[in-house]
Amino acid sequence: GDVEVIGGGGPNGFHNEAKAPAPGIVIGRSGSGIGNAWWSDRPFWPLNTGMYVTDFLGNDPRFCFLWLDWIDFTSHNSGGAQPSLNRNFIYPIPLPIPPLPEQRKIADILSTWDQAIETSEALLDTARRQKRALMQSLLTGKRRFPEFEGQEWKEVRLGDVAAVDAESLGSKTPDEFEFDYISLSNVEPGRVIGPLERLIFGEAPSRARRKVKSGDLLVSTVRPNLLGFAKVTDDYSDCIASTGFAVVSPGSQADGSYLFHYLFSHHMKSQFHALVVGSNYPAINSTDVKKLRFSLPSVDEQKRIGQVLDDCDAEINALSDGIEILRTEKKALMQQLLTGKRRVAV
């Protein structure tokens, strides 16, 4: 059927008949989805992993959903090893409830933030799909810039055009030497994120050794961020990275941006995974990274391809950052509106 099934973890398949009318709300009752709130604007079938609302007692349903989504139910867990919510325990939670017209106004205001977030997320998804399509065509030579038509590409190994782990802090480093440390947790897909920890060499862990500079590429060779990657920007030049990274420094024959996008494209996944050793603690020997093979056009064509894909990343990062700002601002506004600290005129 086409009736959505909703449990504590959210939508979970379809059924041929509805058990609850619309609009409806499901609250995670047990397991990892405890306390999560899910909205449905169509009749639905609730699973027994959730509690669902059947009567809003004259209140605006959207306003009720905002409150149920806002409340932290973890402190009301009545289970043991298996987290659980008992509706009799959560009924007494006190809530400040404004008159119905103000409830509707608050719901309208916050829905505009939701719409902005949804629009931005759709744009982000489109930007990511466009980049993937460009990578597929540009990094395989299927799509060429007119001035480079007819020029051949060559097959090379990474070690032929880049240095790996070229510089590290040695034992003669002064104990008082201070530096910003890039740990495995400071890398998200494509970029380094702060804030970084400030360390002194004499007190730093032994893994804090790799020297990095602007333009270097970081490849995580150990878990929990195995195969995580990032490009070092000017903001993080001269920092020290964990030895859990292989630091790739492009040479004169390779453009850094091209190398960055090629190494971390789907073309290289099978080669990277072939380097992984160990089952209990999977890892890659950073010296093996030099063996990776890839296709290389002329330096000028590399730069053109790299710039196009860099522009895609700039758009993706701007959209991602904008979504986080919208979510943060919405959360702050909810804190004001749902508690009555800030009233709205109806």
Side-chain angles (χ1 to χ4, degrees), residues 253-310:
Q253 299 180 58
D255 174 70
S257 289
Y258 175 85
L259 204 59
F260 168 74
H261 293 293
Y262 198 104
L263 282 178
F264 305 116
S265 68
H266 76 277
H267 307 92
M268 300 297 293
K269 284 185 178 179
S270 61
Q271 288 194 59
F272 269 118
H273 285 292
L275 299 180
V276 178
V277 295
S279 54
N280 294 331
Y281 195 86
I284 294 174
N285 187 328
S286 63
T287 58
D288 288 342
V289 174
K290 298 178 183 179
K291 302 175 184 178
L292 294 169
R293 303 181 307 276
F294 60 98
S295 300
L296 201 67
S298 68
V299 174
D300 287 339
E301 188 170 2
Q302 290 179 49
K303 290 180 178 178
R304 286 291 303 276
I305 294 172
Q307 185 58 59
V308 168
L309 297 178
D310 279 350

Side-chain angles (χ1 to χ4, degrees), residues 63-104:
F63 179 84
C64 292
F65 171 73
L66 289 169
W67 252 118
L68 291 171
D69 191 37
W70 177 257
I71 296 173
D72 181 4
F73 286 107
T74 55
S75 61
H76 299 274
N77 173 24
S78 60
Q82 175 77 348
S84 179
L85 279 183
N86 185 315
R87 62 179 178 178
N88 293 323
F89 293 169
I90 66 175
Y91 276 151
I93 297 175
L95 302 180
I97 303 295
L100 183 60
E102 191 171 352
Q103 293 181 30
R104 290 170 176 162

Side-chain angles (χ1 to χ4, degrees), residues 42-270:
R42 295 189 301 167
F44 62 98
W45 181 280
L47 289 177
N48 65 353
T49 56
M51 298 180 286
Y52 61 101
V53 179
T54 56
D55 188 350
F56 294 95
L57 304 179
N59 293 291
D60 181 73
R62 294 177 303 159
F63 179 84
C64 292
F65 171 73
L66 289 169
W67 252 118
L68 291 171
D69 191 37
W70 177 257
I71 296 173
D72 181 4
F73 286 107
T74 55
S75 61
H76 299 274
N77 173 24
S78 60
Q82 175 77 348
S84 179
L85 279 183
N86 185 315
R87 62 179 178 178
N88 293 323
F89 293 169
I90 66 175
Y91 276 151
I93 297 175
L95 302 180
I97 303 295
L100 183 60
E102 191 171 352
Q103 293 181 30
R104 290 170 176 162
K105 185 69 174 179
I106 291 172
D108 286 341
I109 291 171
L110 292 173
S111 69
T112 62
W113 292 85
D114 288 331
Q115 290 167 9
I117 292 171
E118 289 173 7
T119 299
S120 296
E121 287 176 336
L123 291 172
L124 177 60
D125 182 63
T126 298
R128 284 173 171 162
R129 285 189 284 106
Q130 288 176 339
K131 185 195 173 187
R132 285 196 294 270
L134 281 171
M135 291 176 74
Q136 177 63 28
S137 59
L138 292 176
L139 296 176
T140 58
K142 293 179 181 178
R143 182 175 179 178
R144 305 289 297 273
F145 296 103
E147 63 268 35
F148 301 113
E149 287 285 355
Q151 295 185 15
E152 293 186 359
W153 291 33
K154 57 183 180 180
E155 295 291 320
V156 300
R157 290 186 180 274
L158 181 60
D160 297 331
V161 295
V164 178
D165 299 336
E167 293 186 84
S168 290
L169 293 178
S171 58
K172 295 183 179 180
T173 304
D175 284 346
E176 62 274 15
F177 174 66
E178 293 187 23
F179 57 88
D180 291 322
Y181 176 54
I182 302 175
S183 69
L184 295 174
S185 60
N186 288 123
V187 166
E188 65 177 22
R191 57 180 177 171
V192 179
I193 57 172
L196 303 184
E197 187 178 3
R198 186 75 174 174
L199 298 178
I200 299 175
F201 181 76
E203 302 174 358
S206 59
R207 62 181 178 273
R209 292 293 183 272
R210 296 274 189 260
K211 290 184 178 181
V212 301
K213 61 182 182 298
S214 181
D216 283 345
L217 313 179
L218 301 180
V219 182
S220 177
T221 56
V222 295
R223 64 178 190 180
N225 200 11
L226 182 62
L227 298 182
F229 61 92
K231 180 164 55 176
V232 179
T233 61
D234 292 341
D235 293 337
Y236 300 101
S237 188
D238 300 321
C239 291
I240 303 300
S242 167
T243 53
F245 294 109
V247 180
V248 179
S249 303
S252 59
Q253 299 180 58
D255 174 70
S257 289
Y258 175 85
L259 204 59
F260 168 74
H261 293 293
Y262 198 104
L263 282 178
F264 305 116
S265 68
H266 76 277
H267 307 92
M268 300 297 293
K269 284 185 178 179
S270 61

